[in-house]
Amino acid sequence: MTAYDPAGLHLEESGDDGPLVLCLHGIGSSSAAFAPQTEALAAAHRTVAWDAPGYAGSADPEHGLTRDDYADTAAEVIRARDTEAHVVGVSWGGVIALRLATRHPDLVASLTVADSTPGSGTSPEKAAAMRARVPELESLGPRAFAQRRGPRLLSQDAPPELVRRVVDTMADSIRLPGYASAAESMARTDLRGELHRVTAPTLVLCGEKDRITGPDASQVLAGGLHKTAYVIVKDAGHLANQEQPERFNAWLLSHLHIVTDTRTTKG
C-alpha cells in the first residue's frame, strides 16, 4: 500500500540517504527555523521539516486541530516514506513530538525535544495566557504580533540580524485560523501523566537563557521520561537551535549517532 503526504502540507526536504529526521517547529515559526540543522544533517541524513497545518506554505485546516491531529499528521509524513524517523521538536513542536511518540511508537526511532514544555494545560493561568494570544494576533496582525513577541524568543545578547530573522519568520508563518488551532491545542495539553509511556530514547535540550518555557519545564520533561539525557545549551534563549546552532547541532548529531549505533548493534 502506497502512502502519501497529507494534502496541502508544505514540506522542506533535503538529503538523499541515511536515517530520516523529521523536524517540527514552534508555535510562532515554520520549517525555516531548521535551516541550521538541515545543513548540519545533510551529509548523513534525510531531513523533512514541515510547515504545520495552517502555517506558512501549508493549507489552512478545515476545522480546529487537536494535539492528536497534529501528531497523526506527523505520523502520515513518516509513513509516506516507509520508514521510522528521528523526530526533532522545538517548543510546541516538542509537545507534538512527545504525543507522536506515545500514539505511534513504531514510527519514532528517537526524540530530540528542545526548549519545550508539558503543555499550557498544566495550570489555568498558563492556559489562559496561551488563549489570549489569539485575540492579540487578530488585533495586531502577524507583523506587529511578531515584532512584539519575537525578540523574547532569543536571549538579550542575540545579534540584531538573528532577531530580525526570527521576527520575519514569525510574521511570514503565522495566521488565523492555524495559530488559533495551535494555541488551543496547547492550552488543553498536559503531558505530565503520559511521559512514562514514551519508549523512544530522548534528548531534552534547553537554552540557558530561555525566557519562555525555561529550564524548569524541560526538567519536568526529562524527569518524567525513562530513556533521557538532559542538556543546557549555554548562551541560548528559547530558540537554542537558531541562537547557538553549533552547540545544538553537536548534541543533536551525537544523540543521533548513539541511538543509531545502538539500534544497529542490537539488530
Side-chain angles (χ1 to χ4, degrees):
M1 179 177 177
T2 303
Y4 297 94
D5 285 319
L9 196 67
H10 178 77
L11 303 165
E12 290 289 338
E13 302 195 51
S14 63
D16 299 320
D17 197 15
L20 178 67
V21 179
L22 174 64
C23 299
L24 308 175
H25 61 78
I27 199 168
S29 196
S30 70
S31 58
F34 292 103
Q37 285 65 59
T38 299
E39 184 176 348
L41 291 166
H45 301 83
R46 291 180 294 152
T47 304
V48 177
W50 78 354
D51 293 342
Y55 278 75
S58 290
D60 291 338
E62 295 180 1
H63 53 78
L65 302 179
T66 67
R67 63 186 178 189
D68 289 349
D69 293 325
Y70 292 112
D72 292 348
T73 302
E76 288 184 59
V77 173
I78 300 171
R79 284 201 185 97
R81 284 146 187 83
D82 194 29
T83 185
E84 60 186 6
H86 300 275
V87 184
V88 180
V90 171
S91 196
W92 174 55
V95 173
I96 297 170
L98 288 163
R99 190 62 169 172
L100 170 64
T102 59
R103 283 179 67 81
H104 306 280
D106 57 312
L107 298 178
V108 179
S110 77
L111 292 170
T112 299
V113 178
D115 296 278
S116 194
T117 165
S120 300
T122 53
S123 76
E125 294 78 15
K126 289 180 180 178
M130 180 57 69
R131 291 187 171 107
R133 295 184 185 191
V134 178
E136 182 183 359
L137 172 58
E138 190 171 24
S139 171
L140 293 176
R143 173 61 59 176
F145 182 89
Q147 289 170 337
R148 176 180 289 186
R149 301 196 68 89
R152 283 185 53 79
L153 301 179
L154 301 163
S155 77
Q156 293 175 326
D157 300 320
E161 59 269 23
L162 178 59
V163 176
R164 285 194 296 272
R165 192 186 321 145
V166 166
V167 169
D168 287 345
T169 296
M170 184 182 294
D172 293 342
S173 302
I174 61 171
R175 61 181 182 272
L176 300 174
Y179 190 91
S181 186
E184 183 60 26
S185 77
M186 278 291 280
R188 292 176 177 269
T189 295
D190 180 355
L191 296 178
R192 291 176 296 181
E194 62 186 76
L195 293 173
H196 68 281
R197 293 172 45 211
V198 175
T199 57
T202 305
L203 172 62
V204 177
L205 292 157
C206 186
E208 176 188 25
K209 301 177 180 179
D210 185 337
R211 296 180 279 171
I212 305 300
T213 54
D216 287 352
S218 288
Q219 287 171 358
V220 170
L221 295 178
L225 294 162
H226 291 306
K227 303 174 185 176
T228 183
Y230 175 59
V231 173
I232 291 289
V233 182
K234 186 175 173 58
D235 297 327
H238 185 63
L239 301 181
N241 68 306
Q242 296 184 64
E243 190 167 356
Q244 293 294 337
E246 294 84 4
R247 290 171 179 164
F248 185 97
N249 292 345
W251 285 110
L252 172 60
L253 288 168
S254 176
H255 174 63
L256 293 175
H257 175 75
I258 290 168
V259 296
T260 303
D261 186 61
T262 300
R263 292 166 69 86
T264 303
T265 302
K266 287 182 177 179

